[in-house]
């Protein structure tokens, strides 16, 4: 291979490519090593991006997410507690208070179900 003569030089030979100096197996080994390095770099960049997104999430958003996850559980627990209290009131003989407690427990369970459905995006 020759180059265009510059400043009066006759055509000179270009240096042989380094790819041609090595065997095909060496070339493949270098290419595989390069691929592994690039995969590692991509993983590192993705990890950095995730961490950056976490840092950018505001405190209000974090609180809202926490409430969104804990809200249905709290409402279900409140419904269960109210149902137990209604059962105790019914056994004690206060039917009107037991009726109100059962209605409140049903409302709490319904709200828990609705909050769970909203948080899952249904």
């Amino acid at each position: 291979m020759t180059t265009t003569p510059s400043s009066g030089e006759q055509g000179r030979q270009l240096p042989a490519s380094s790819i041609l100096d090595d065997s095909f197996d060496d070339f493949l080994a270098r290419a595989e090593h390069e691929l592994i390095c690039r995969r590692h770099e991509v993983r590192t960049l993705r990890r950095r991006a995730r961490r950056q997104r976490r840092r950018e999430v505001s405190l209000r958003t974090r609180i809202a997410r926490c409430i969104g996850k804990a809200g249905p559980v709290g409402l279900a627990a409140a419904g269960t507690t109210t149902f137990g209290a209604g059962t105790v009131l019914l056994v004690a003989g206060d039917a009107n208070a037991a009726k109100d407690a059962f209605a409140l427990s049903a409302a709490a369970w319904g709200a828990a179900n609705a909050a769970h459905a909203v948080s899952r995006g249904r």
Side-chain angles (χ1 to χ4, degrees):
M1 228 179 174
T2 59
T3 61
T4 308
S6 61
S7 68
E9 293 179 12
Q10 292 297 328
R12 64 179 175 165
Q13 294 295 325
L14 286 176
S17 175
S18 66
I19 293 175
L20 300 176
D21 293 340
D22 297 332
S23 70
F24 187 69
D25 290 334
D26 293 338
F27 172 72
L28 284 179
R30 275 197 319 238
E32 288 173 351
H33 177 70
E34 182 72 20
L35 181 62
I36 291 170
C37 290
R38 295 289 180 223
R39 284 181 182 162
H40 179 68
E41 289 175 12
V42 167
R43 271 191 228 119
T44 302
L45 290 173
R46 285 182 180 161
R47 188 179 311 118
R48 279 189 202 162
R50 275 194 310 268
R51 288 179 182 164
Q52 185 65 29
R53 280 193 301 267
R54 280 189 220 130
R55 281 188 213 116
E56 290 176 358
V57 174
S58 70
L59 180 61
R60 288 181 185 169
T61 305
R62 289 182 193 168
I63 291 172
R65 285 181 184 167
C66 182
I67 290 172
K69 291 178 182 177
V73 175
L75 286 170
T80 303
T81 304
T82 308
F83 185 82
T87 304
V88 169
L89 288 170
L90 187 62
V91 170
D94 194 358
N96 287 332
K99 181 179 161 186
D100 291 339
F102 290 143
L104 185 60
S105 67
W109 285 331
N113 192 19
H116 181 68
V118 168
S119 69
R120 294 190 77 190
R122 290 183 185 172

